[in-house]
Amino acid sequence: MTVLDTAAAARPVTVPFVRAAVPADYPAIREIVIAAYRQYADLIARDIFSPYLADLLDLDTHARNGRMLVVEVGGRAVSSVTFYPDATIQGVGWPPGWASGRGLAVHPDARGLGVARTLLATCERLAREAGALVFAFHTASFMTGAISLYERLGYCRIPQFDFDMAARYRGFGAAPIISLAYLRHLRTEEGSHR
């Protein structure tokens, strides 16, 4: 073995690799989601955050209605998302013909490695393959880092599809917490990809 071989073997693989999630991944996905969303626990009321987190962790429902994906870096799952080829299934007002994503989470140890960007690009590709005209998703108004990323990547805000998380997870009477809608058009009118 040469010095170069030794150096290459010692260097961690940091290229994100996306694959379909399987039930054996569920413990790792739960760990990723909890670690990624823990930073928001004190930003909203517990009676809203707890059911919100429980919804994100309902992996059986997400897998049944969508396609769960994980990103591995160095052989370890570090990020996850659920891709919905039919966005209407989420029940948040998306129109027919759109695809969507749900519950994008990146473990804090893997931030800055491009895994969220890789997952979004994969979801866009899957949406195109499914014939969707649009790939859309929501993020909470308090998730400023995610908002900044989505805007840097060129996603467009569509406020007409925003919804109130507080009303969804707690019922009416709580101060509103807006879930912001974003999209990317996948095809122009002529059918070519953007």
Side-chain angles (χ1 to χ4, degrees):
M1 186 179 280
T2 69
V3 172
L4 283 177
D5 292 334
T6 305
R11 191 175 2 164
V13 177
T14 58
V15 177
F17 171 71
V18 181
R19 64 174 175 78
V22 297
D25 292 314
Y26 289 8
I29 293 171
R30 285 187 180 95
E31 179 184 324
I32 291 164
V33 170
I34 290 167
Y37 285 81
R38 181 179 297 129
Q39 65 185 329
Y40 307 120
D42 295 330
L43 298 181
I44 60 176
R46 180 177 288 297
D47 61 346
I48 298 168
F49 182 77
S50 292
Y52 172 56
L53 185 61
D55 180 22
L56 293 171
L57 294 172
D58 186 359
L59 305 183
D60 290 326
T61 297
H62 295 301
R64 189 170 46 255
N65 295 317
R67 182 174 173 190
M68 292 180 56
L69 305 170
V70 294
V71 176
E72 289 185 352
V73 174
R76 176 179 160 238
V78 297
S79 184
S80 64
V81 73
T82 303
F83 169 73
Y84 287 86
D86 175 4
T88 62
I89 227 162
Q90 288 191 54
V92 293
W94 296 128
W98 288 19
S100 63
R102 176 86 171 99
L104 176 65
V106 177
H107 194 283
D109 295 345
R111 291 190 179 140
L113 299 177
V115 295
R117 180 175 296 166
T118 299
L119 267 180
L120 290 167
T122 300
C123 287
E124 288 179 28
R125 179 182 56 77
L126 292 171
R128 284 185 184 98
E129 289 171 3
L133 300 175
V134 166
F135 173 66
F137 54 88
H138 286 97
T139 192
S141 56
F142 53 82
M143 296 180 180
T144 55
I147 292 167
S148 177
L149 171 68
Y150 301 144
E151 291 177 355
R152 275 195 320 272
L153 294 176
Y155 283 94
C156 300
R157 279 278 291 122
I158 44 169
Q160 66 269 34
F161 293 104
D162 290 356
F163 68 87
D164 180 2
M165 287 178 59
R168 180 178 176 96
Y169 292 107
R170 181 175 174 221
F172 293 97
I177 301 170
I178 304 304
S179 189
L180 306 172
Y182 282 85
L183 68 70
R184 181 176 319 277
H185 290 280
L186 301 175
R187 301 171 189 252
T188 63
E189 299 259 340
E190 297 79 36
S192 63
H193 299 294
R194 277 191 190 174

